[in-house]
Amino acid sequence: DQLANPYAPGADASAGTARNAITMDDVLVRTGTTLGTVALTAVLSWLLLPVDEANLGRSYGLAGGAALVAFVLSMIQAFKRAPSPALILGYAAFEGVFLGVLSSTVSTYLSPGVVVQAVLGTFAVSAAVLLAYRMRWIRVDRRFAGFVASAATGFLLLLAADLLFSAFGAGNGLGFHSGGLGILFGVIGIVLGAAFLALDFKQVEDAVAYGAPREEAWLAAFGLVTTLVWIYLEVLRVLTLFNSDN
C-alpha cells in the first residue's frame, strides 16, 4: 500500500499556490540553516564550556538543561499544526549545546578522535540512504512506515527500561552501555535512524510534488535535522564502545 500523502488533492492540508509552493531549494536552505545552527552552537559549547575536572559538573548541568529545553521545544513543535521557525531554530541551538558538551566529554575521557569519525559516519549513512532512496532500493510505503514506527516504539521502551534499571541500582542496567550488546543496540539505533531518514525524504518528495505551502520546508528541516542528530548519537555510541573494546 502506498503511504498516505497529506498534500495530495482532496487531503485536509491545502496545497500552496504556484507562487507560494514549496521547492527543493526551500528545503535545502532551511535544512542548512537549522543544521548550521546545531553545528555552530555545538562548536561554541565545545570551546566555551570546558569539560576538565574543575568544570565537569557545571558542563554536565548545562548540557542536561540544554537537552531538556531542546526536547520541550521539539515536543511543542511536534504538536503544533503550523511550523514555527523560532521554535525549530531554538531547538537546534539547545540541541547543539548538548551535542557540543557530550562530544567534548566523549572525546576527552573515552575515545579521542571519535567525534570526527562519528560525523563522517553520519554523513556516510545519510548518503547511503539518499542513494538507496533515489535508486528506489527502499520502498517507502504504509507497510514500511508501520514497521519503522513499531520498531522505534520497541527500541524506546527498551531504552526506558534500561534507564530505569540503572536508576534503581541494577548496575549496568540491561547491558546496553557496554560490550557486544551495547554495540548491537547502537547498530539497531543507526538502522532505525536510517529508516526514519527515508521517511523524511519521502515527506520532502511528496511536499514538492503536490505543491505544499512553502512554510512546510521548516517542518521538513526539523524532521531531517532531528533524524541526523539521532544517527550521530548512535554512531558515536557504537564507535565509542567499539574503540573501548579494542
Side-chain angles (χ1 to χ4, degrees):
D1 294 340
Q2 290 296 314
L3 194 61
N5 188 334
Y7 309 115
D12 291 337
S14 59
T17 63
R19 179 178 298 178
N20 195 41
I22 190 175
T23 66
M24 191 60 69
D25 286 344
D26 293 328
V27 176
L28 292 175
V29 169
R30 285 152 181 78
T31 301
T33 301
T34 308
L35 190 59
T37 301
V38 173
L40 177 61
T41 53
V43 170
L44 290 176
S45 300
W46 186 309
L47 296 175
L48 301 178
L49 300 175
V51 292
D52 55 87
E53 295 292 342
N55 299 285
L56 197 56
R58 184 189 68 179
S59 297
Y60 280 174
L62 289 171
L68 180 61
V69 173
F71 175 76
V72 171
L73 292 177
S74 68
M75 288 296 99
I76 294 173
Q77 178 56 73
F79 287 102
K80 281 177 63 70
R81 293 184 62 87
S84 169
L87 277 176
I88 293 169
L89 292 178
Y91 154 79
F94 283 103
E95 192 72 68
V97 174
F98 165 67
L99 292 178
V101 175
L102 175 67
S103 300
S104 179
T105 302
V106 171
S107 181
T108 301
Y109 294 102
L110 298 177
S111 182
V114 74
V115 171
V116 174
Q117 297 173 358
V119 170
L120 293 176
T122 302
F123 279 115
V125 171
S126 303
V129 175
L130 179 59
L131 175 63
Y133 183 82
R134 295 297 296 172
M135 298 297 293
R136 303 304 180 192
W137 297 336
I138 301 176
R139 184 178 178 184
V140 181
D141 53 16
R142 183 176 294 133
R143 179 178 298 178
F144 179 87
F147 173 79
V148 172
S150 299
T153 300
F155 183 86
L156 292 174
L157 287 175
L158 279 175
L159 183 60
D162 180 64
L163 292 174
L164 285 174
F165 273 88
S166 298
F168 289 99
N172 197 32
L174 298 177
F176 296 145
H177 300 294
S178 62
L181 187 58
I183 293 175
L184 176 62
F185 194 68
V187 170
I188 293 173
I190 294 172
V191 173
L192 278 174
F196 275 114
L197 196 58
L199 288 171
D200 291 333
F201 291 154
K202 175 66 172 174
Q203 179 190 17
V204 172
E205 184 178 55
D206 287 347
V208 173
Y210 288 97
R214 180 168 290 172
E215 64 180 5
E216 295 292 321
W218 280 110
L219 280 182
F222 175 62
L224 286 165
V225 170
T226 300
T227 303
L228 290 173
V229 169
W230 173 318
I231 294 173
Y232 170 77
L233 289 172
E234 294 301 330
V235 172
L236 185 67
R237 179 220 296 264
V238 169
L239 291 175
T240 301
L241 291 176
F242 183 81
N243 291 339
S244 65
D245 286 346
N246 289 283

